[in-house]
Amino acid sequence: FGFELEGGWEEDRFDTYEAKGIMKGDGSVDVAEGIPGEMATEPFDCLKKAWKFMEEHYPDEVNRTCGFHIHISVSDGDYAVLMEKDFYDAFVKWAEKIGKKYKKRLPATYESRLEGKNNYCQKKFEPDKQVKGSGDRYTQLNYCYRAHKTLENRMFPGCKNARTAFFLLTQYLAFVEDYLEKNKLESKAIVTGK
């Protein structure tokens, strides 16, 4: 898994990260202070490293124009499961529960993303087009297999702090893991009769 952070960074931080190749400008981000941009991580192999990175590199300013996107890589078989409408429906239902349960903790823009009222997080399901590199990539789930071999979750808005963003990351990863595990168990039961 990896993620993209959008926000504004102080000029010296932005320049340092840009020189490292992990930062670029982002025309969709509009911040009052700092340089607007998007930071994309390399894949992480554990949550501890992801937290350390996030805590150290989190934007200085995040507002309603910012997103927090999570990329996951899975086997081809699991990717096919995640392309099914059942997964998308379960994802939306899960996201609604998160929105209700943690409403006070989440940015106000979460609801508009959930409803598909954000131009960069539309409520469309078109994995067959996206996986081939066509279709609209600005959807709640972007099946960007051809470009990155990942599934991109664009549902989450930029969060005011790293702790909230990390919480959402861990919740989403647990949801996907749980979904795939249950799906695999159901598949085994059909094949083996157990």
Side-chain angles (χ1 to χ4, degrees):
F1 69 93
F3 50 83
E4 300 169 27
L5 300 170
E6 293 179 347
W9 282 264
E10 294 175 2
E11 186 174 357
D12 59 331
R13 289 181 75 209
F14 186 95
D15 293 344
T16 299
Y17 300 150
E18 188 176 44
K20 290 181 180 179
I22 58 173
M23 176 69 77
K24 65 180 182 178
D26 188 321
S28 70
V29 176
D30 183 17
V31 292
E33 296 181 25
I35 299 174
E38 175 184 292
M39 177 180 291
T41 71
E42 292 294 320
F44 292 102
D45 59 1
C46 71
L47 286 169
K48 185 176 180 180
K49 290 177 186 175
W51 168 246
K52 184 176 178 183
F53 183 95
M54 188 179 288
E55 189 177 39
E56 184 178 317
H57 295 85
Y58 209 74
D60 300 307
E61 181 186 351
V62 176
N63 64 23
R64 62 174 181 68
T65 67
C66 303
F68 170 51
H69 309 155
I70 302 168
H71 287 259
I72 57 170
S73 297
V74 295
S75 70
D76 288 348
D78 285 347
Y79 202 93
V81 170
L82 299 179
M83 287 179 64
E84 294 172 0
K85 183 75 163 71
D86 286 347
F87 172 73
Y88 178 74
D89 292 342
F91 168 74
V92 171
K93 186 181 266 187
W94 169 82
E96 289 169 350
K97 286 180 185 174
I98 290 289
K100 287 177 186 168
K101 188 173 182 179
Y102 301 106
K103 186 172 185 157
K104 291 181 181 179
R105 192 171 183 181
L106 297 173
T109 53
Y110 183 79
E111 195 170 313
S112 66
R113 287 176 169 265
L114 186 59
E115 294 170 357
K117 295 179 181 176
N118 180 298
N119 290 337
Y120 300 100
C121 184
Q122 299 169 50
K123 195 169 191 170
K124 291 182 185 175
F125 178 70
E126 47 189 41
D128 293 332
K129 290 180 183 177
Q130 291 172 331
V131 79
K132 295 174 187 170
S134 62
D136 193 341
R137 71 183 187 95
Y138 296 125
T139 57
Q140 293 168 335
L141 291 177
N142 175 25
Y143 294 85
C144 48
Y145 187 84
R146 187 174 193 163
H148 305 292
K149 297 204 181 317
T150 65
L151 170 59
E152 178 186 22
N153 171 357
R154 301 179 61 87
M155 180 70 79
F156 300 134
C159 302
K160 291 292 180 193
N161 57 61
R163 188 173 308 281
T164 301
F166 188 73
F167 171 77
L168 291 173
L169 171 70
T170 59
Q171 294 296 301
Y172 175 65
L173 293 177
F175 163 73
V176 172
E177 234 176 71
D178 184 58
Y179 184 89
L180 288 172
E181 188 60 34
K182 285 179 180 174
N183 187 288
K184 287 179 185 177
L185 289 174
E186 290 171 7
S187 298
K188 287 179 186 174
I190 291 167
V191 174
T192 64
K194 294 182 181 179

